[in-house]
Amino acid sequence: MKRNEDKTLAALLGRAAEALAQSARKGKSSGPELTQLAQELSEQREHLGSDDLPEPEQPAVCGDARLFELAPAAFFAFDEIGVITEANHDAAQLLETERLRLVGKPFIIFVASEHQDVFYEHKRLTIATGVPQLVELRLLSNSGNQRSVRIRSIASKVDGVVLCLSVVLDMNELDVVREQLADSVDQDTVLERAPIGFFQTTPGGKFLNANSEMARLYGYESVDELMDKAHIGAGIYADPKERDALFAVLHQEGEVSGREYRHVRKDGSTFWAQVSMRAVYDPRGRITRYEGYVTDVSELKRMGASLARSATRNSVLAELSRTILMSASIGEVSDLVLSAAKELTDSPHGFAGYIDPETGQLVCITLTGEMWSGCTVENKRYVFEDYKGLWGWVLENKQPLLLNNAAADPRSEGVPKGHIPVRRFLSVPAISGDGVLLGQITLANSDREYTEDDLAILGSIGDLYGIALERTQTLDQLRRAKRKAEEADHAKTLFLAAMSHEIRTPMNGILGMAEYLHNREMDDERKENIGIIRDSSQHLLTVINDILDFSKIESGGTCLEDVHFDLRGVLNSTKRAFELPAKDKGLTLSLRMDGDVPRYVLGDPSRLRQVLNNLLGNSLKFTETGGIAIRVSSHDPGEEADSGVAAPRPVGVRFAVSDSGIGIPESHKELIFEQFAQAEGGYVKRTGGTGLGLAICRKLVSLMGGEIWVESELGSGSTFIFTVMFGTGDSARVVKEAAPQRPTGKVRALEVLVAEDNPVNALVARKFLDQLGHAATIVGSGEDALSALSQKRFDLVMMDLEMPDMDGLEATRRIRSGEVGRDMAEVPVIAVTAHVFSDVREKCEAGGMDGYLAKPLTMADLRRALAEVSDTAPASSVRKPADQGGGLLQRSVLWERLDGDLELYDELLQVFEQEMPTLVEGLENAAENADLNRIAILGHSLKSASTTIGATSIKEAAVQLEHAALENRLETALSLVEKIALERDAFLQERERSRAS
């Protein structure tokens, strides 16, 4: 194109701009001046060879102010003193004000103060030389923002008025202008340098004018080539219908702005063009030409499509992540991920499968219907043992795979005959965080080619699938573990029941016969040996009871009783049981119950007594001087009361057991409530035992709706506090329930039928009954018991629960049904069992039994049971030994253990008095020789002897001594030997005082 070489045309363009500025300044129409210029432009175009153009009635370049406004730069016109006469929209936007507010203002007010002299010089040179001038300076916008700009100005003189026409470019947007302005107006006009394509065409579509950017957009080497070969109506629009629609709007509205169409380049490629275009009319209303701008928005379209696709993808992934975390099964998760993957990649075929953790096989339970129906493979499967073909490669290598020509890839071999044809293939493995293969998502045969973006999307879904599979498998494992735990817990309960029975059965024989023999006439040595057997067995039974009780609570097998009882009565009876041992140690024991605590409550008195007994027993063990106090007060349930909902157990009671003992260090306050835990170090273990007492207390208190804790300082005593939530008690029902438990009367001889299949236990029962003055008939099964009852009248039946052929419960049911005769249907039946769980006791009561005896039997328990069910009372004329003070012996414990045998009580004290000095002397000799092995042996012997006699303080020291020796703690052992020697002296002195009194 020759317009860049024609100075005459350049001058005309300058005059057109000047006329436009002058008209704006005078406030008049620019029509006459522009019409004259249009005539000159027409003549010039004829000179340039544009004879096919119609005569224009308006200027060919600027047209009117509307085209001026379309220009992509800020334009200013100002006079020789610098007053703005015209500005376009971009100029107003640059200075952040309205266009009309610019006209009439000095341009200098928008120039930074340090650059105002530079601007004046620029204006002066522009006017004085007539040569285009270029300057860079800073402008101040109306809001005070500074902008670095480049100003290109030309001067023109119309009717004696000199004007400057300036193009202002924002330096921050220099990427809009790709090259610097040239030094000559002939070589560089604003339109030529514009970064968008400018064009003018005839009404028929032939190019009249265009800039270099227009040629570049359509793939032409020059503007001349574009104008020679291209035609706006022939081939530029990819869809001719779009061109027709565009021109229909132009004819109707006169212009279009920002419309987007697919345009075709010289080489046939397409791009997205944004078109702003208008029709130019002559005075008679005929279209003389079209002119406008074209911008390539392909990249923007791609970015927009990418953003839209990304938004869709993110939305689907977000929804997928939410739903799969709520899904319970692998099948549901697999369905969700496959559906999302197909939607986002436009894939008709696919599957999502998981790796069976036990077999390592791929399980595809989500094969798409199209894929399944299109497959003609014989013996269709959804479980695959071997990894074959493309999907097999993905699993073997744990790598994603994208193929748009799958058939040509050698890895596609191994696909069975009848498999659907795979043209395009996309697959990712699902892998756990530690690299374990969990599953796979595979897609195929999209109508379009798969892209890296598709692979990234599927990778994200694969990551979610991996998380879901790992989570689901973990949940499955937890469920299986829970089932196993429940099965194990059930087995544990059965095992405990069986062990309870199996342990207590022989213990019944040992303890029973030991107690029976001990009450017989025999020499002192034999009596001593039998006493050791009995006491050791009783200690073993205590340990067994603790373990079984704790295990039962742990397994959830403990059921609380719910009876109305006298709380004050339970507290008083519990206190009485500890009064004698407290007095033996020289300790005070007090009980205080606040007046606002209800006397009658609903709950489990036996479990409450068990907790109190444990806490009082501990206080007694670890307190040497001072006393023990029980304080009972009301307890506010707190949150339960504040909730506005009536608590199921509205009566809160707080129990506190305080002592002046050695205290507990801060670090052990929680430890002591753990199972099998005993305090060590500063809080030295003073007694033997299982370490389960406080753990059992915590669990029982929790079952009763409360909590337990300790307040203590080392050396300052301890206070164990626990709360219990009771129901409201009924005093009348307490009387009714308690009345049958107060047997009266004297012992009378009874005919007792003993149903027991174990010969040892049967012998123990017979011996005990003989000793109590009753006659015993022994049978070995439930059937034999029924036979005996049908032949003879008995006063009472002692029924073992577990017997061959027919157990005790079934035999009792038949007795109650009248099978042995109506006169024996109501005979009292006492259950005798090694089972100690409450559900067994409940079964006995529900089965019609009248009493319950736990093995191993004791004489005292048997006496009480017989008295209760036969309405007789136990008689005993033996008085308890007088309190001898001193606190070294727990007389009440020994008295209870010996069942009131005063003769044996005195005999055991005499034997211990003779044996102890010898043992202590041996310890002193071993200590002198630092013989820890000998110290351990003698310490153990002293522990056993002192336990038997109830010499608590000596036993405690002996326990510590044995442990110190076994752990090679020589210094501690030597110190304890000295302590035991002092305990020996104190014991002998007390015995002397006892004999003297």
Side-chain angles (χ1 to χ4, degrees), residues 458-491:
L458 192 59
S460 297
I461 297 176
D463 291 340
L464 288 174
Y465 192 34
I467 294 171
L469 288 176
E470 194 168 18
R471 170 183 169 275
T472 306
Q473 290 179 5
T474 300
L475 290 176
D476 288 342
Q477 291 172 359
L478 290 175
R479 281 190 285 266
R480 287 195 296 270
K482 181 175 180 290
R483 285 196 298 269
K484 288 181 180 179
E486 290 172 346
E487 293 170 358
D489 189 62
H490 181 63

Side-chain angles (χ1 to χ4, degrees), residues 637-659:
E639 292 184 0
E640 294 177 347
D642 295 339
S643 66
V645 179
R649 295 287 183 174
V651 181
V653 181
R654 182 181 187 269
F655 301 85
V657 178
S658 303
D659 62 57

Side-chain angles (χ1 to χ4, degrees), residues 738-746 863-874:
Q741 299 177 7
R742 296 182 185 141
T744 58
K746 295 184 179 181
R863 184 186 294 117
R864 279 192 293 269
L866 293 175
E868 287 175 2
V869 300
S870 62
D871 198 23
T872 63

Side-chain angles (χ1 to χ4, degrees), residues 492-767:
K492 177 182 176 182
T493 301
L494 295 178
F495 173 76
L496 288 173
M499 289 304 297
S500 172
H501 182 270
E502 295 304 318
I503 292 174
R504 288 172 178 275
T505 296
M507 288 298 297
N508 182 57
I510 296 171
L511 277 171
M513 292 307 298
E515 186 172 357
Y516 173 75
L517 291 174
H518 194 273
N519 292 332
R520 307 295 294 176
E521 291 293 332
M522 61 182 71
D523 58 61
D524 291 345
E525 182 179 1
R526 290 181 179 178
K527 201 171 200 62
E528 176 186 5
N529 293 338
I530 293 298
I532 292 173
I533 293 173
R534 183 184 62 178
D535 293 341
S536 298
S537 300
Q538 187 63 51
H539 179 71
L540 175 60
L541 183 61
T542 301
V543 173
I544 292 170
N545 284 342
D546 273 352
I547 295 174
L548 291 176
D549 202 9
F550 181 79
S551 299
K552 180 185 175 186
I553 295 173
E554 279 281 88
S555 63
T558 299
C559 297
L560 298 178
E561 287 186 305
D562 214 17
V563 299
H564 298 266
F565 69 95
D566 182 351
L567 178 58
R568 184 180 295 277
V570 170
L571 293 169
N572 285 330
S573 65
T574 302
K575 175 176 174 288
R576 282 194 299 271
F578 285 87
E579 285 177 342
L580 184 57
K583 194 171 185 179
D584 285 344
K585 293 190 71 174
L587 303 175
T588 62
L589 178 61
S590 63
L591 167 65
R592 185 177 123 193
M593 181 173 171
D594 290 354
D596 60 346
V597 179
R599 177 170 179 175
Y600 301 104
V601 294
L602 179 66
D604 190 331
S606 63
R607 292 302 186 182
L608 174 62
R609 186 179 285 109
Q610 182 178 353
V611 174
L612 288 169
N613 284 341
N614 191 288
L615 298 181
L616 288 168
N618 285 344
S619 291
L620 198 61
K621 290 177 187 178
F622 300 110
T623 304
E624 300 299 334
T625 60
I628 302 169
I630 308 168
R631 168 74 186 275
V632 183
S633 57
S634 60
H635 167 64
D636 183 0
E639 292 184 0
E640 294 177 347
D642 295 339
S643 66
V645 179
R649 295 287 183 174
V651 181
V653 181
R654 182 181 187 269
F655 301 85
V657 178
S658 303
D659 62 57
S660 57
I662 61 177
I664 304 170
E666 185 69 29
S667 60
H668 289 77
K669 287 183 180 180
E670 277 300 313
L671 174 67
I672 59 175
F673 290 102
E674 299 297 328
Q675 60 198 53
F676 306 113
Q678 293 176 319
E680 298 286 353
Y683 184 62
V684 182
K685 185 170 68 175
R686 302 288 305 275
T687 63
T690 60
L692 288 174
L694 289 176
I696 292 173
C697 286
R698 169 176 274 183
K699 292 185 178 297
L700 289 177
V701 168
S702 178
L703 287 173
M704 292 187 288
E707 55 183 345
I708 185 170
W709 67 95
V710 63
E711 297 174 357
S712 176
E713 291 184 10
L714 193 61
S716 302
S718 304
T719 299
F720 282 84
I721 305 166
F722 68 96
T723 59
V724 177
M725 299 304 299
F726 294 110
T728 304
D730 183 347
S731 59
R733 296 181 67 178
V734 171
V735 173
K736 292 176 184 177
E737 292 173 359
Q741 299 177 7
R742 296 182 185 141
T744 58
K746 295 184 179 181
V747 175
R748 63 182 178 86
L750 300 174
E751 284 287 340
V752 181
L753 175 64
V754 179
E756 171 63 68
D757 64 315
N758 185 287
V760 174
N761 290 338
L763 179 60
V764 169
R766 172 177 285 172
K767 294 292 185 180

Side-chain angles (χ1 to χ4, degrees), residues 111-186:
V111 180
S113 58
E114 65 270 23
H115 288 158
Q116 289 181 356
D117 290 342
V118 176
F119 171 72
Y120 279 127
E121 181 63 14
H122 169 75
K123 178 172 68 67
R124 187 188 68 77
L125 289 174
T126 301
I127 295 173
T129 64
V131 177
Q133 299 293 319
L134 178 67
V135 69
E136 293 182 2
L137 46 77
R138 279 200 301 275
L139 297 183
L140 297 175
S141 71
N142 192 51
S143 60
N145 293 322
Q146 291 195 13
R147 298 180 184 274
S148 294
V149 299
R150 177 177 294 165
I151 303 177
R152 179 74 172 182
S153 300
I154 60 174
S156 183
K157 190 174 183 180
V158 179
D159 296 333
V161 179
V162 178
L163 294 178
C164 283
L165 179 63
S166 297
V167 179
V168 182
L169 295 179
D170 192 334
M171 296 289 285
N172 294 328
E173 300 175 356
L174 279 181
D175 57 314
V176 176
V177 180
R178 304 297 178 91
E179 301 175 3
Q180 294 185 349
L181 294 173
D183 293 333
S184 171
V185 174
D186 297 343

